[in-house]
């Protein structure tokens, strides 16, 4: 049994935490972190990459089964060319440095998004990391790279429509399970939907990140900028998750008893 001390000096016993099976994080605030220090935006992304390593290791140690990180959105292509070029090189540096640690910690890399649109060298780095960690049976480190939630939903609808047109399924076969299984997270099975969605930097929106999968996710927003995010911050988010009552549209035990009496 391990003890974790949060930033407010509250000691949390890991056995008391309800660890989410799947945590998704919108890693926001890299540019603002750099601007506050009169540094170029890319410096914030570089430090943010180191934060990914720390948080991935912490999540794995806590027993999280899937950690999905919003690394690059389809909208991020509109950023300045030099910043986009730097962001495209980050996965290369990240995987070259971190894959040995991922293998050591039994972590498997997964990627969702339109990888075919990435530069060839970036694609090779991503595919190499997936292959090198394929034997991992612990946490899945799932990167959303060139990912957009609305595009994913539209693409899934087209895929299912094609299946109907080709006679593989009938319209009446389409249900929530079929749709969810056809999304890019379908390979995650029962772990596809995030239990906890975290966004750093104080922004209060999902920014087109897993809109279908996060329908019942618990949302947690923090003002901490991503380069400053620590394992303590992750534990605080999980502690908040632990204290929540997830009813999924139903009633908790007390409310159900009161409604029947």
């Amino acid at each position: 049994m391990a003890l974790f001390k949060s930033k407010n000096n509250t000691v949390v016993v890991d056995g008391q935490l309800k660890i989410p099976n799947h945590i998704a994080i919108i890693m926001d605030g890299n540019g603002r972190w750099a601007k506050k220090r009169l540094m170029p935006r890319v410096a914030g992304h570089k430090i943010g990459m180191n934060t990914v390593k720390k948080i991935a290791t912490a999540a794995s140690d806590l027993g999280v089964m899937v950690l999905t990180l919003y690394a690059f959105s389809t909208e991020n292509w509109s950023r300045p060319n030099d910043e986009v070029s730097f962001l495209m090189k980050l996965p290369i540096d990240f995987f070259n440095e971190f894959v040995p640690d991922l293998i050591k910690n039994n972590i498997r890399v997964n990627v969702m998004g339109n990888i075919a649109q990435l530069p060839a060298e970036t694609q090779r780095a991503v595919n190499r990391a997936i292959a090198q960690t394929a034997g991992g049976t612990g946490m899945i480190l799932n990167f959303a790279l060139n990912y957009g939630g609305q595009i994913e939903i539209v693409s899934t609808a087209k895929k299912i429509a094609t299946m109907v047109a080709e006679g593989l399924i009938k319209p009446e076969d389409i249900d929530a399970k079929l749709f969810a299984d056809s999304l890019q997270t379908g390979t995650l099975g029962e772990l596809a939907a995030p239990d906890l969605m975290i966004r750093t930097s104080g922004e209060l929106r999902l920014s087109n990140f897993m809109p279908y999968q996060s329908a019942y996710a618990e949302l947690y927003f923090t003002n901490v900028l991503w380069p400053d995010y620590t394992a303590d911050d992750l534990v605080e988010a999980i502690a908040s998750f632990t204290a929540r009552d997830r009813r999924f549209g139903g009633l908790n035990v007390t409310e159900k008893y009161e409604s029947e009496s």
Side-chain angles (χ1 to χ4, degrees):
M1 181 177 292
L3 298 177
F4 298 90
K5 195 169 185 180
S6 65
K7 288 185 174 180
N8 61 14
N9 291 321
T10 300
V11 176
V12 180
V13 181
D14 67 342
Q16 296 174 347
L17 289 175
K18 182 169 60 179
I19 305 299
N21 288 326
H22 185 168
I23 296 178
I25 304 180
I26 301 173
M27 306 179 292
D28 197 16
N30 291 329
R32 273 167 283 175
W33 183 93
K35 185 177 180 180
K36 285 173 61 177
R37 291 159 177 77
L38 303 180
M39 300 166 69
R41 288 176 56 86
V42 294
H45 294 304
K46 179 69 174 178
I47 300 300
M49 183 182 76
N50 294 330
T51 303
V52 170
K53 298 176 185 177
K54 297 173 186 175
I55 297 305
T57 301
S60 176
D61 289 344
L62 284 165
V64 175
M65 300 180 73
V66 178
L67 177 65
T68 297
L69 301 177
Y70 205 6
F72 190 87
S73 75
T74 50
E75 290 77 23
N76 287 157
W77 292 108
S78 63
R79 293 188 177 185
N81 290 335
D82 59 341
E83 184 175 351
V84 171
S85 296
F86 185 86
L87 289 170
M88 288 297 102
K89 292 176 182 176
L90 272 183
I92 302 171
D93 295 337
F94 176 84
F95 289 127
N96 284 342
E97 295 176 13
F98 198 42
V99 160
D101 288 332
L102 294 175
I103 295 172
K104 179 181 177 181
N105 287 285
N106 201 28
I107 297 172
R108 176 164 64 91
V109 172
N110 188 65
V111 177
M112 55 192 279
N114 191 340
I115 308 305
Q117 291 182 348
L118 301 178
E121 191 176 0
T122 307
Q123 290 186 49
R124 284 193 291 271
V126 168
N127 290 326
R128 186 164 56 246
I130 292 172
Q132 290 174 327
T133 62
T137 58
M139 187 183 79
I140 297 171
L141 181 56
N142 184 37
F143 288 98
L145 194 56
N146 193 25
Y147 171 84
Q150 292 177 334
I151 290 176
E152 179 188 27
I153 291 172
V154 171
S155 297
T156 299
K158 289 180 178 178
K159 182 196 304 184
I160 293 175
T162 299
M163 292 169 66
V164 173
E166 293 177 349
L168 299 176
I169 61 172
K170 298 177 181 178
E172 53 268 30
D173 295 329
I174 303 172
D175 57 16
K177 184 179 185 310
L178 175 65
F179 197 90
D181 289 346
S182 301
L183 292 167
Q184 294 178 31
T185 49
T187 56
L188 298 175
E190 295 181 353
L191 300 174
D195 301 293
L196 174 62
M197 174 80 72
I198 300 170
R199 181 165 188 156
T200 61
S201 88
E203 301 291 349
L204 305 178
R205 56 180 178 269
L206 296 183
S207 295
N208 201 21
F209 185 40
M210 304 179 78
Y212 190 95
Q213 296 93 330
S214 64
Y216 279 99
E218 296 295 325
L219 306 181
Y220 183 89
F221 300 100
T222 175
N223 290 324
V224 178
L225 302 176
W226 178 248
D228 292 327
Y229 201 77
T230 67
D232 284 346
D233 294 308
L234 180 63
V235 169
E236 290 220 8
I238 294 174
S240 174
F241 172 84
T242 299
R244 300 186 190 186
D245 181 17
R246 304 186 76 199
R247 298 189 297 273
F248 300 97
L251 301 177
N252 61 30
V253 175
T254 301
E255 291 173 326
K256 186 176 181 180
Y257 173 79
E258 290 175 348
S259 68
E260 293 174 349
S261 61

